[in-house]
């Protein structure tokens, strides 16, 4: 596991024993399921670069046995909810979306798993009904129908004390470009939604990291500044992302204090890969007596023998309100 960066966002006073369990959820991302057989005609597009990348590099990183070990460990942990921040697919073929629908069904019921898509899930323009529409039940907000386009994001799911707000950054791009975008219309809906949730722990789900320096130029969130400004205006307690395939910690500055931004390793990364062992994060939430919320983060990393996961790191985060009131 890469050591979390920007340590000022951590709460060094916390301990594993002083947080009473209130609500636990698991965060996983970028499983990149094995690429099924591809028809030649499907490669007459940007897909050819992704296919070559998978054949000669990525399939040695994202191992089915490693993914199975992480998911089995997650199921043993028995979290109250599971969130997935995208990139289940690789090059967005029809077979991949069908395969991923089966995998999601094994991961958990739609009401127990919340999903936002990543850039590999929108690798090329494809019919919604034959692609992301197959995962619609996992992206449907409470009381809402499954989304039929990006216009139906953000999604909102209330689970226990937590309001999960999911943004879509998944847009097709040119070859060798892996950037994402939220867009002005989705951001406006996001701000309105967040203002109605101030009594809950607001956890934002997004594939691309929105913090400064979160990704290189060809992989970044193209409107990251607008996203940061929106979060600064309406606040948030925690932002979770994937995309970088490593555990990383950043922040978004706001008038209430820094909003912690936490990225997770790829759930399928083999321990011998260039990214190191993949896995998932197990996050426990409780209300902070000083105000706001506290998060106990346990990093679960795949063992070298692929027999399960071990705890490779543990740290605590605080929402901006609790930091401000405690100061």
């Amino acid at each position: 596991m890469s050591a979390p960066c920007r340590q000022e966002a951590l709460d060094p006073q916390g301990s594993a024993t002083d947080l009473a369990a209130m609500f636990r959820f698991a965060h996983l991302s970028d499983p990149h399921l094995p690429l099924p057989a591809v028809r030649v005609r499907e490669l007459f597009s940007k897909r050819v670069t992704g296919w070559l990348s998978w054949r000669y590099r990525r399939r040695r990183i994202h191992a089915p046995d490693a993914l199975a070990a992480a998911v089995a460990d997650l199921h043993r942990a028995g979290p109250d909810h599971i969130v997935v921040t995208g990139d289940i697919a690789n090059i967005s073929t029809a077979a991949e979306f069908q395969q991923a629908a089966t995998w999601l069904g094994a991961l958990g019921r739609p009401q127990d798993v919340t999903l936002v898509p990543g850039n590999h899930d929108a690798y090329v323009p494809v019919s919604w009904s034959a692609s992301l529409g197959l995962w619609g039940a996992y992206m449907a907000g409470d009381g809402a129908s499954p989304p039929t386009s990006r216009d139906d994001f953000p999604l909102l799911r209330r689970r226990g004390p937590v309001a999960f707000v999911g943004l879509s950054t998944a847009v097709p791009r040119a070859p060798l470009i892996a950037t994402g975008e939220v867009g002005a219309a989705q951001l406006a809906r996001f701000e309105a939604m967040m203002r109605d949730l101030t009594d809950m722990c607001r956890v934002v789900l997004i594939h691309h990291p929105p913090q400064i320096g979160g990704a290189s130029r060809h992989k970044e969130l193209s409107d990251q500044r607008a996203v940061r400004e929106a979060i600064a205006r309406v606040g948030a307690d925690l932002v979770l992302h994937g995309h970088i395939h490593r555990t990383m910690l950043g922040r978004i500055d706001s008038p209430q204090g820094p909003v912690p931004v936490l990225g997770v390793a790829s759930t399928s990364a083999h321990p011998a890969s260039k990214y190191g062992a993949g896995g998932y994060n197990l996050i426990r939430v409780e209300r902070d007596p000083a105000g706001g919320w506290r998060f106990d983060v346990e990093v679960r990393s795949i063992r070298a023998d692929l027999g399960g996961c071990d705890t490779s790191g543990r740290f605590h985060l605080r929402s901006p309100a609790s930091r401000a009131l405690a100061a």
Side-chain angles (χ1 to χ4, degrees), residues 10 17 20 34 45 72 90 98 114 136 160 163 173 178 187-188 208 218 247 256 264 271 295-296 301 306 313 320 323:
L10 299 178
T17 58
S45 66
N90 296 281
Q98 293 166 359
T114 298
R173 294 300 199 200
L187 266 182
H208 291 77
H218 74 287
T247 301
Q256 297 75 33
V264 67
F295 307 94
D296 175 15
S301 298
L306 304 183
R323 289 178 62 92

Side-chain angles (χ1 to χ4, degrees), residues 195-214:
R195 288 193 178 98
D196 290 336
L197 298 169
T198 53
D199 60 330
M200 300 192 72
C201 176
R202 297 173 297 170
V203 176
V204 179
L205 309 177
I206 188 170
H207 180 69
H208 291 77
Q211 71 271 28
I212 295 174

Side-chain angles (χ1 to χ4, degrees), residues 250-274:
R251 72 181 191 185
I252 293 174
D253 291 325
S254 77
Q256 297 75 33
V259 177
V261 181
L262 180 62
V264 67
S266 164
T267 310
S268 61
H270 192 282
S273 74
K274 72 173 185 177

Side-chain angles (χ1 to χ4, degrees), residues 206-275:
I206 188 170
H207 180 69
H208 291 77
Q211 71 271 28
I212 295 174
S216 58
R217 184 171 296 274
H218 74 287
K219 292 184 177 181
E220 68 184 6
L221 183 63
S222 60
D223 55 353
Q224 59 178 278
R225 180 175 178 178
V227 173
R228 290 195 299 269
E229 290 173 349
I231 289 174
R233 283 192 294 270
V234 299
D237 296 294
L238 179 65
V239 178
L240 301 177
H241 70 85
H243 193 50
I244 306 302
H245 296 187
R246 291 184 173 92
T247 301
M248 59 187 293
L249 182 63
R251 72 181 191 185
I252 293 174
D253 291 325
S254 77
Q256 297 75 33
V259 177
V261 181
L262 180 62
V264 67
S266 164
T267 310
S268 61
H270 192 282
S273 74
K274 72 173 185 177
Y275 294 110

Side-chain angles (χ1 to χ4, degrees), residues 73-284:
D73 187 84
L74 185 157
H75 283 155
R76 285 192 292 271
D80 298 308
H81 198 65
I82 300 170
V83 299
V84 185
T85 50
D87 276 5
I88 303 177
N90 296 281
I91 60 174
S92 294
T93 66
E96 284 190 282
F97 288 109
Q98 293 166 359
Q99 172 183 254
T102 300
W103 180 80
L104 284 167
L107 182 65
R109 301 176 302 173
Q111 60 265 42
D112 298 326
V113 179
T114 298
L115 165 70
V116 294
N119 56 292
H120 282 269
D121 304 323
Y123 205 70
V124 295
V126 289
S127 163
W128 184 275
S129 61
S131 59
L132 289 170
L134 298 178
W135 312 344
Y138 294 89
M139 299 184 289
D142 291 337
S145 300
T148 58
S149 73
R150 269 171 48 87
D151 293 339
D152 293 325
F153 285 87
L155 67 84
L156 169 61
R157 288 182 164 190
R158 296 177 175 89
R159 299 292 185 271
V162 178
F164 292 107
V165 179
L167 293 166
S168 173
T169 62
V171 289
R173 294 300 199 200
L176 306 180
I177 302 297
T179 58
E181 182 179 18
V182 175
Q186 185 180 180
L187 266 182
R189 295 190 295 270
F190 168 76
E191 289 197 48
M193 182 178 289
M194 293 289 279
R195 288 193 178 98
D196 290 336
L197 298 169
T198 53
D199 60 330
M200 300 192 72
C201 176
R202 297 173 297 170
V203 176
V204 179
L205 309 177
I206 188 170
H207 180 69
H208 291 77
Q211 71 271 28
I212 295 174
S216 58
R217 184 171 296 274
H218 74 287
K219 292 184 177 181
E220 68 184 6
L221 183 63
S222 60
D223 55 353
Q224 59 178 278
R225 180 175 178 178
V227 173
R228 290 195 299 269
E229 290 173 349
I231 289 174
R233 283 192 294 270
V234 299
D237 296 294
L238 179 65
V239 178
L240 301 177
H241 70 85
H243 193 50
I244 306 302
H245 296 187
R246 291 184 173 92
T247 301
M248 59 187 293
L249 182 63
R251 72 181 191 185
I252 293 174
D253 291 325
S254 77
Q256 297 75 33
V259 177
V261 181
L262 180 62
V264 67
S266 164
T267 310
S268 61
H270 192 282
S273 74
K274 72 173 185 177
Y275 294 110
Y280 66 99
N281 290 342
L282 192 61
I283 302 173
R284 185 169 57 180

